[in-house]
């Protein structure tokens, strides 16, 4: 066989012991104490640099769990878990990073009892700045301790003025009652606004009507509209009257237990075609509620009370919404109790359809329930830019808006929104809200909080996903 002469650019393709005609030119038969790189070619292997001993004890060394985290060349760490605890070491200089272990984390790891061999029992995953430790011996379940549950949502709402225009109505409803225009407020009265707009179905003026274009555009400014609305809302909620207590005189009998889940065909009529309907078997959630209303008012004011039922008898009440704007003379007795349900129906083609809140027939008796009124003083209204924030210190409230711009001029953010795009670009720091996403899928729901750039009270920033309210 003749001698072949070839030029080899470098030996950076590693070791191969295949025949010469099958391996690449940059491969060699054997490589001892060398390191092949594409950038430097074949160089001497770097030495081992001793930094620190991970565990000084000689026992259970084979059970030490380690997980390396590399955020950058300057930020490299080693997470260690032994039966003695959790530690973090800076790989660069060997210094130990202080680790604070909460009682919940210590209970979950249970080193020495549940976890007897950290190397075999634990796994770790790093996502961005977070490293998650998983105990393979623990079964994940729903927490029952009150301190581990999410706190109730804050009773605060945002009204966002999105569009401004001349001579357009902007109406705000608090607890189903329209916020009326008040010409006695000096700031409002000084501007040429009118109060001649009457919302559909009402008999009194609406909240606000923007001025004309004769003043150089100021009346179409969203910040000015929001500021005017803030004064009107503040005057409306000051010293307003709401339900303070509900007195259960007689629990009656024959009521269906509340908050139960099951299947029913009761009063759920699904349209199939024009003029054709049928009942459908659906899964529903039932809840006995008491709606206290003021029907003689120009716009109905409502409050909502949840009633607990045990073995057919009402044995407890809790006010879920106090309402506002009540007049004691307008509340009539006996108060009517109704079951309300929400469910989903599987139609003939297999599609899942939402069934709206529907009142269903009940057979219980005993409606001797009375209600007491008191002044609500816990409302606070603030304004920044085109945003108005309403905060309540004495319980939830209802809020909705409508406007003369096809309901595109204003928006409400209260507890939950349909999409992340419904949230404003500027907001109050740490304001929290739930994003629903697809209404038919619970798994895509998530919570976000607003984080301003400089951690100031209000400004530009980012909506950051969080664990809950």
């Amino acid at each position: 066989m003749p001698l072949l002469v070839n030029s080899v650019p470098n030996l950076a393709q590693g070791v191969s012991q295949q025949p010469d005609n099958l391996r690449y030119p940059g491969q060699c038969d054997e490589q001892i104490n060398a390191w092949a790189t594409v950038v430097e070619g074949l160089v001497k292997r770097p030495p081992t640099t001793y930094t620190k001993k991970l565990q000084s004890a000689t026992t259970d060394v084979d059970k030490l769990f380690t997980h390396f985290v590399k955020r950058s060349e300057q930020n490299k760490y080693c997470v260690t878990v032994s039966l003695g605890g959790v530690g973090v070491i800076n790989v660069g200089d060997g210094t130990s990073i202080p680790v604070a272990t909460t009682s919940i984390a210590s209970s979950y790891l249970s080193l020495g009892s549940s976890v007897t061999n950290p190397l075999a029992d634990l796994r770790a995953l790093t996502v961005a700045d977070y490293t998650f430790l998983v105990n393979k011996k623990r079964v994940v379940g729903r927490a029952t301790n009150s301190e581990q549950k999410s706190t109730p949502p804050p009773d605060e709402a945002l009204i966002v003025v999105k569009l401004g225009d001349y001579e357009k109505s902007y109406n705000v409803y608090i607890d189903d009652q329209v916020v009326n225009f008040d010409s006695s407020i000096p700031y409002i009265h000084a501007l040429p606004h009118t109060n001649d707009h009457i919302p559909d179905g009402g008999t009194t003026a609406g909240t606000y009507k923007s001025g004309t274009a004769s003043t150089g555009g100021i009346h179409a400014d969203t910040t000015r509209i929001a500021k005017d609305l803030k004064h009107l809302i503040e005057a409306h909620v000051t010293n307003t009257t709401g339900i303070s207590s509900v007195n259960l005189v007689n629990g009656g009998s024959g009521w269906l237990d509340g908050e139960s889940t099951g299947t029913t065909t009761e009063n759920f009529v699904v349209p199939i075609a024009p003029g054709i309907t049928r009942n459908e078997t659906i899964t529903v959630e039932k809840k006995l509620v008491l709606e206290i209303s003021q029907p003689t008012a120009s716009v109905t004011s409502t409050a909502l009370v949840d009633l607990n039922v045990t073995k057919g008898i009402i044995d407890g009440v809790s006010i879920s919404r106090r309402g506002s704007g009540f007049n004691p003379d307008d509340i009539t007795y006996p108060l009517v109790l109704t079951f309300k349900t929400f469910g989903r129906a599987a139609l003939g083609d297999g599609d899942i359809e939402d069934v709206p809140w529907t009142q269903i027939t009940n057979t219980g008796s005993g409606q001797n329930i009375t209600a007491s009124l008191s002044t609500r003083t816990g409302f606070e209204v603030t304004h920044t830019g085109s945003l108005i924030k309403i905060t309540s210190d004495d319980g939830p409230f209802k809020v909705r808006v409508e406007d003369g711009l096809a309901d595109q001029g204003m928006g409400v953010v209260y507890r939950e929104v349909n999409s992340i795009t419904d949230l404003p670009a500027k907001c109050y720091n740490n304001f929290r809200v739930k994003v629903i996403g697809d209404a038919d899928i619970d798994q895509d729901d998530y919570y976000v909080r607003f984080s301003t750039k400089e951690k100031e009270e209000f400004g530009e920033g980012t909506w950051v996903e969080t664990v809950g309210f």
Side-chain angles (χ1 to χ4, degrees):
M1 180 176 180
L3 181 65
L4 298 177
V5 178
N6 284 324
S7 75
V8 178
N10 57 59
L11 295 174
Q13 294 179 303
V15 176
S16 175
Q17 295 185 348
Q18 298 182 91
D20 292 342
N21 61 334
L22 295 179
R23 66 188 186 196
Y24 293 106
Q27 292 180 320
C28 58
D29 291 331
E30 188 175 7
Q31 183 174 299
I32 300 174
N33 207 28
W35 185 33
T37 69
V38 176
V39 177
E40 301 179 12
L42 189 64
V43 297
K44 189 175 182 180
R45 179 184 62 82
T48 298
T49 302
Y50 174 82
T51 302
K52 185 178 182 178
K53 183 183 292 186
L54 296 180
Q55 185 170 334
S56 59
T58 57
T59 58
D60 298 326
V61 176
D62 57 334
K63 298 179 181 179
L64 177 67
F65 174 82
T66 59
H67 175 74
F68 288 89
V69 180
K70 182 179 179 181
R71 297 291 289 123
S72 66
E73 289 299 328
Q74 292 74 33
N75 293 280
K76 294 184 287 187
Y77 305 94
C78 177
V79 180
T80 65
V81 183
S82 66
L83 297 180
V86 180
V88 176
I89 298 172
N90 188 327
V91 176
D93 55 15
T95 57
S96 296
I97 308 298
V99 177
T101 306
T102 63
S103 59
I104 297 176
S106 298
S107 175
Y108 174 74
L109 290 176
S110 300
L111 298 173
S113 56
S114 173
V115 176
T116 57
N117 185 351
L119 182 61
D121 299 340
L122 300 180
R123 291 294 181 269
L125 174 66
T126 298
V127 179
D129 291 330
Y130 295 90
T131 296
F132 300 91
L133 283 175
V134 178
N135 181 358
K136 298 196 298 181
K137 288 188 174 182
R138 296 296 293 268
V139 178
V140 178
R142 179 176 295 180
T144 57
N145 299 334
S146 58
E147 64 270 14
Q148 296 184 20
K149 294 182 179 179
S150 176
T151 57
D155 295 315
E156 57 183 10
L158 292 178
I159 296 178
V160 186
V161 181
K162 301 178 180 179
L163 299 174
D165 201 355
Y166 305 108
E167 301 184 71
K168 292 296 186 294
S169 61
Y170 295 84
N171 296 316
V172 179
Y173 294 80
I174 306 293
D175 288 322
D176 295 322
Q177 191 174 55
V178 66
V179 175
N180 282 320
F181 182 86
D182 187 354
S183 59
S184 65
I185 300 175
Y187 184 82
I188 302 293
H189 187 68
L191 299 175
H193 299 302
T194 60
N195 63 342
D196 58 351
H197 174 71
I198 299 177
D200 293 338
T203 59
T204 58
T207 306
Y208 182 81
K209 189 172 183 179
S210 58
T212 64
S214 60
T215 56
I218 191 173
H219 291 154
D221 185 276
T222 57
T223 300
R224 177 56 60 91
I225 294 173
K227 193 171 185 178
D228 288 353
L229 287 172
K230 181 259 185 184
H231 288 291
L232 292 169
I233 296 171
E234 194 171 40
H236 175 82
V237 299
T238 300
N239 297 324
T240 186
T241 303
I243 302 298
S244 61
S245 63
V246 176
N247 306 313
L248 180 62
V249 180
N250 181 358
S253 61
W255 298 102
L256 298 176
D257 283 4
E259 297 188 4
S260 61
T261 300
T263 58
T264 181
T265 58
E266 261 185 299
N267 289 355
F268 285 97
V269 179
V270 181
I272 304 301
I276 302 176
T277 60
R278 76 179 187 210
N279 286 332
E280 285 290 335
T281 301
I282 67 172
T283 300
V284 300
E285 177 184 290
K286 300 178 182 179
K287 199 170 190 178
L288 185 63
V289 297
L290 169 62
E291 188 171 76
I292 303 176
S293 61
Q294 185 174 254
T296 60
S298 56
V299 178
T300 300
S301 298
T302 60
L304 197 64
V305 179
D306 293 335
L307 297 100
N308 184 58
V309 179
T310 304
K311 296 182 178 180
I313 300 174
I314 303 173
D315 60 2
V317 297
S318 61
I319 300 175
S320 59
R321 191 179 71 248
R322 288 189 59 191
S324 60
F326 281 96
N327 185 333
D329 298 331
D330 289 334
I331 301 180
T332 58
Y333 298 97
L335 301 170
V336 178
L337 306 182
T338 59
F339 268 107
K340 287 191 174 182
T341 66
F342 181 77
R344 285 146 59 97
L347 303 183
D349 55 6
D351 293 337
I352 299 296
E353 297 287 340
D354 281 338
V355 177
W357 281 99
T358 306
Q359 177 177 329
I360 67 174
T361 306
N362 59 68
T363 57
S365 62
Q367 300 179 17
N368 297 324
I369 295 178
T370 60
S372 301
L373 302 177
S374 68
T375 300
R376 294 193 68 171
T377 58
F379 279 109
E380 180 183 357
V381 185
T382 57
H383 153 263
T384 308
S386 59
L387 266 66
I388 306 166
K389 184 169 74 168
I390 305 174
T391 305
S392 170
D393 291 335
D394 58 353
F397 60 95
K398 287 180 67 177
V399 57
R400 65 182 180 90
V401 296
E402 62 182 25
D403 56 70
L405 296 165
D407 290 337
Q408 301 299 309
M410 289 194 296
V412 171
V413 179
Y414 182 45
R415 293 198 176 181
E416 59 185 36
V417 294
N418 292 328
S419 172
I420 192 72
T421 57
D422 296 331
L423 300 176
K426 293 181 179 180
C427 191
Y428 295 90
N429 191 47
N430 212 36
F431 187 91
R432 297 172 184 245
V433 67
K434 179 181 179 181
V435 181
I436 298 296
D438 191 334
D440 293 336
I441 303 175
D442 293 335
Q443 289 82 353
D444 67 344
D445 297 353
Y446 61 98
Y447 298 84
V448 294
R449 66 173 179 84
F450 192 78
S451 177
T452 54
K453 290 182 179 179
E454 303 297 331
K455 304 305 178 185
E456 64 269 30
E457 180 64 21
F458 180 90
E460 294 183 345
T462 307
W463 291 97
V464 183
E465 187 170 358
T466 185
V467 293
F469 285 114

